[in-house]
Amino acid sequence: CLPAYVWPSTQKLVVCLSGMDTTDRERVSNRVMLLGGTIVEEVSDRTTLLVVKDSPATRTPKFLVALAKGVMIATGRLFTDQHCLGNMSRVLEFVPELSHNGAIVSAPEVVDVILFQQQMKSLGIAAHGALTNTMFTITDVPQKVRGTVGDVIVGSGGKIVKTKRDEAKALAAGMKHITLGADDGDRLYDAIVFGTTSRFEGAKQ
């Protein structure tokens, strides 16, 4: 039996899909809807499950945001395996490994980060994700990846500084300020993957 905090019995099935072809997407979506669930396009505060194509999973922005928000992650087999068909009491059996920077992050490591972020959220420390109450200046991040880095930051509960007024308002509200250097995007992704964002520092403070 799953611990109650992994998948509460009252939890609604709000599913985001990532990296699936049309056939897989249709099979999983149909099963989710048969179970009374909802399909959404992005990982948000109301999302309760991210479903990826297979294991090891690709490190997509959706995967990073799901980790940062403590959203459970599973492969499509959770819904297509004939012996499971969406039985959420077995969700941990279908958590994928993650391919990250040329290495494999194990499924138990992925679960540990998700459960840690769920606990932070339940304590009110990271209400919207691991980067809650943190603002970032990302003007030094290369333009070709800046949009993706910004999407991951915002999706993970952080804010992007756009003007000096933004910075002043955020500092007045007690937010942490981090300036990302040119190579800091991957370092930030590392921190999300391994659950160490509280210790993350950028190029300069």
Side-chain angles (χ1 to χ4, degrees), residues 3-8 11 66-72 109-130 132 195:
Y5 55 82
V6 174
W7 193 270
Q11 180 137 286
L67 282 176
K69 285 185 173 297
V71 172
M72 191 52 67
E109 288 177 292
V110 170
V111 171
D112 282 348
V113 173
I114 291 169
L115 297 186
F116 173 72
Q117 296 302 346
Q118 286 183 2
Q119 290 172 332
M120 291 299 98
K121 185 175 182 178
S122 69
L123 293 170
I125 296 171
H128 303 291
T132 299

Side-chain angles (χ1 to χ4, degrees), residues 18 21 26 114 125:
S18 179
D21 58 34
E26 189 171 305
I114 291 169
I125 296 171

Side-chain angles (χ1 to χ4, degrees), residues 13-16 47-51 71-74 78-79 88:
L13 192 57
V14 182
V15 178
C16 181
T47 308
T48 54
L49 183 69
L50 175 70
V51 178
V71 172
M72 191 52 67
I73 303 169
L78 173 64
F79 295 97
M88 296 309 298

Side-chain angles (χ1 to χ4, degrees), residues 31-47:
R31 187 65 195 168
V32 168
M33 288 185 282
L34 275 173
L35 293 169
T38 306
I39 301 292
V40 294
E41 291 301 316
E42 300 295 334
V43 179
S44 69
D45 287 347
R46 63 186 287 260
T47 308

